[in-house]
Amino acid sequence: LQHNLLNKTRTMKLLSIATALLSTGAALGFAPAPMGASRVATSLSAGTEELYIDMERRNIMNLILVGSAGVTIAGLGLPYVYFFLPPSAGGGGGGVTAKDALGNDLFAKEYIESKKVGDRSLAQGLKGDATYLIVKDDKTLETYGLNAVCTHLGCVVPWSAPNNKFMCPCHGSQYAPTGAVVRGPAPLPLALAHCETAEDGKILFSTWSETDFRTGANPWWK
């Protein structure tokens, strides 16, 4: 009898312990999370969102900076590119249309009517260089134009009608009516360009690549 009472007592203790453990587990399962853990989770979430926003803003700023730099470089670089490109051709034969100081195309008929025999006036020629158009005695245009840039140091050489020659005011170089050197320090004659009239009446310049008739040598400006 005593032995049976001891067994029952042990069984009751074990049941009490098991019940207490189950109650504690249930309570912990439904208990709210600790305040510290909640704050950490909220902080991490906010930090992640802030990092995402910062990265997005950074990407936008980078795109703006790259775009601005591209526009600036293009604005600075294109004029240099255009400078080295030859002017657009006009008329037939692949020549460049002669233009006046205002950039207007020159037409042979009107030009010759406005000039005297022997006139040597400037027009915009190849690469935009100042080039002399020459009116011959028969009131036609000479078949060549003369580049007005002095071969000494690059001054524009004016035509002196009273002296019947080109006279550079910078260092005293002088050229014959054909552009040949008659007095230094210029080492070379004025560059030549072919001059012709297109079918539409415009005056055209084109590159002179054959022998220089004044020197019998190959053109130095090639």
Side-chain angles (χ1 to χ4, degrees), residues 201-213:
K202 292 180 181 179
I203 301 172
L204 301 180
F205 289 119
S206 58
T207 303
W208 187 292
S209 57
E210 57 267 33
T211 301
D212 185 341
F213 66 87

Side-chain angles (χ1 to χ4, degrees), residues 22-54:
L22 289 173
S23 298
T24 303
L28 289 174
F30 290 98
M35 291 298 293
S38 177
R39 289 175 181 174
V40 170
T42 303
S43 177
L44 288 174
S45 177
T48 302
E49 183 177 358
E50 183 179 356
L51 178 62
Y52 174 78
I53 294 173
D54 286 345

